[in-house]
Amino acid sequence: MNLNDIWAEKYRPKNLSEMVLSPTNRGYFENVVKNGSLPHLLLIGRPGIGKTSLAKVLVNELNVEDIYINASDERGIDTIRNKVTSFAQTKAMFGNSKIIILDEADGLTADSQRALRNVMEEYSATVRFILTANNRSRIIPALQSRCETVDLTIDRTSFVKQFLTILEREKVNLEKETMTEIIQNTYPDFRSAYN
């Protein structure tokens, strides 16, 4: 199977200009890339809205060394003690800073989150963290206070416009009722809409 047959992969944004963002968020992230000044980030929003894609885009746009960890799969304190701390301790090969992406950080245990708080403080001079979460309330306040929190929810108009663009590129004609039903059942989840 070719990944380009899966629209969610085929149309995964590869740079900031391809991301569907609110005007405020677009301006914010363009400024981050332009200045090269990334704070610790907590990206929140529903599944399929582009949190992971944005994290990976930022790493590419900033051209920094990174490590990606799916925190819902590797949620224990050993992940923080071993993988995260080990990566944070090493010297950056290509410049002064590194990024650690903890995808689905709301899946981390409370002990893991407390350990992460300490790592964030200890290595803040050379490491930036991008956490993604579907559920902000499952991130401990101590981590939230160390991050710039960005809600990636977009308006329905932007969602529909992107959905129609993909249909046009793929030369798919849908009945208006079918299109309306898909949009109503999937907004704001791009992945579900494409699938």
Side-chain angles (χ1 to χ4, degrees):
M1 173 172 55
N2 185 344
L3 281 181
N4 278 336
D5 294 337
I6 303 170
W7 290 3
E9 291 306 316
K10 182 177 182 178
Y11 293 105
R12 180 182 292 273
K14 298 185 184 41
N15 54 57
L16 198 55
S17 65
E18 294 176 359
M19 291 293 309
V20 180
L21 299 165
S22 70
T24 301
N25 286 345
R26 178 167 304 286
Y28 175 77
F29 289 114
E30 285 174 351
N31 194 43
V32 162
V33 169
K34 178 182 172 187
N35 296 326
S37 58
L38 181 74
H40 297 309
L41 287 174
L42 172 57
L43 304 177
I44 60 170
R46 302 251 315 263
I49 202 163
K51 300 180 298 292
T52 305
S53 293
L54 179 59
K56 291 179 177 182
V57 160
L58 289 171
V59 165
N60 289 335
E61 297 265 351
L62 293 167
N63 195 26
V64 294
E65 191 177 344
D66 73 296
I67 186 173
Y68 170 90
I69 298 170
N70 185 322
S72 66
D73 292 338
E74 300 183 67
R75 57 192 310 260
I77 197 164
D78 287 341
T79 297
I80 304 303
R81 287 181 179 153
N82 299 327
K83 280 190 169 182
V84 172
T85 303
S86 294
F87 182 78
Q89 288 174 336
T90 60
K91 186 167 175 57
M93 292 173 56
F94 309 109
N96 298 329
S97 61
K98 300 183 288 187
I99 294 176
I100 297 174
I101 299 172
L102 283 163
D103 201 15
E104 300 182 36
D106 46 348
L108 288 170
T109 65
D111 285 342
S112 298
Q113 290 189 44
R114 284 190 288 275
L116 178 60
R117 171 194 62 199
N118 296 333
V119 176
M120 288 174 84
E121 281 189 2
E122 187 171 348
Y123 298 100
S124 63
T126 56
V127 180
R128 290 294 174 261
F129 288 82
I130 302 177
L131 313 179
T132 72
N134 297 330
N135 188 343
R136 181 180 183 173
S137 67
R138 290 179 54 197
I139 302 292
I140 63 171
L143 282 184
Q144 290 188 43
S145 72
R146 286 166 174 77
C147 296
E148 178 75 30
T149 300
V150 181
D151 184 342
L152 294 183
T153 304
I154 57 161
D155 61 67
R156 187 179 292 270
T157 303
S158 298
F159 180 83
V160 170
K161 182 178 175 186
Q162 178 68 7
F163 185 67
L164 293 175
T165 299
I166 301 308
L167 291 179
E168 186 177 306
R169 286 183 188 163
E170 293 293 330
K171 297 177 176 48
V172 173
N173 294 314
L174 291 178
E175 297 287 330
K176 187 175 181 181
E177 296 79 22
T178 304
M179 195 173 354
T180 301
E181 184 179 338
I182 291 171
I183 291 166
Q184 285 177 340
N185 291 334
T186 61
Y187 168 79
D189 184 343
F190 286 113
R191 187 170 45 237
S192 289
Y194 297 161
N195 287 339

